[in-house]
Amino acid sequence: MRIVVRSGTLDYLLDGLESHRLDVVLSNHVPARDAATRWNAHTIDRQPVALIAAPGIGNPELSVVELLSRYPIAVPTRESSMRVEFDALVDRLELHPRLLAEVDDMALLRLMARQARSLVLVPPIVVADELESGELHVLANLPGCFETFSALRVERQFPNELLRELFITPSGN
């Protein structure tokens, strides 16, 4: 078996999937489908999302409503699954948080969490080292907000058997 990992825009990767140059695309965003779409999305994992900040910003004893009302926040762009869920949460809570930045890269969100004087919406696993060292802290877990990771595949006349096993075998077996 040979594994080649490529990164790129979702459009570029989906084109590679459709043209059979790629066997699977891993993404934290599932684009809209239409009648011409040939790929299927398989959820492979979900990570909880939290409000993260450097020490001295926020207070873990404050509620989510109080935190989002008092502090600016850096968030992923609207294409992100966790941003969709965050937007739904603030709509339900009738909040209008002050957006410091919309960021399409987890590494940049991680940097902002360390450097900005704001909250950052990110899965704690992304900043696990900083949380362990005390450089950052979790202010609040966001109920119902997750970053969802999916594997996008297309049906093939000669499917990749290893990927087939991955998606057919129930988890835990």
Side-chain angles (χ1 to χ4, degrees), residues 102-120:
E102 294 184 61
V103 182
D104 68 354
D105 179 75
M106 280 296 137
L108 187 51
L109 271 174
R110 183 179 183 188
L111 178 65
M112 290 192 77
R114 293 191 315 246
Q115 303 298 323
R117 304 285 305 158
S118 71
L119 308 175
V120 177

Side-chain angles (χ1 to χ4, degrees), residues 61-77:
E61 294 178 15
L62 296 176
S63 70
V64 169
V65 170
E66 291 171 311
L67 288 165
L68 292 172
S69 297
R70 293 183 188 182
Y71 299 95
I73 183 169
V75 296
T77 55

Side-chain angles (χ1 to χ4, degrees), residues 22-94:
L22 299 173
D23 291 316
V24 64
V25 170
L26 303 178
S27 177
N28 63 348
H29 171 68
V30 177
R33 292 184 54 173
D34 59 25
T37 303
R38 296 183 24 212
W39 50 262
N40 291 305
H42 303 268
T43 299
I44 56 176
D45 196 15
R46 290 175 47 167
Q47 295 290 325
V49 176
L51 298 176
I52 307 285
I57 300 169
N59 179 338
E61 294 178 15
L62 296 176
S63 70
V64 169
V65 170
E66 291 171 311
L67 288 165
L68 292 172
S69 297
R70 293 183 188 182
Y71 299 95
I73 183 169
V75 296
T77 55
R78 294 183 186 274
E79 293 79 27
S80 164
S81 60
M82 68 177 144
R83 173 63 186 277
V84 170
E85 292 179 356
F86 173 76
D87 287 348
L89 174 67
V90 297
D91 182 60
R92 283 191 307 275
L93 297 173
E94 298 180 350

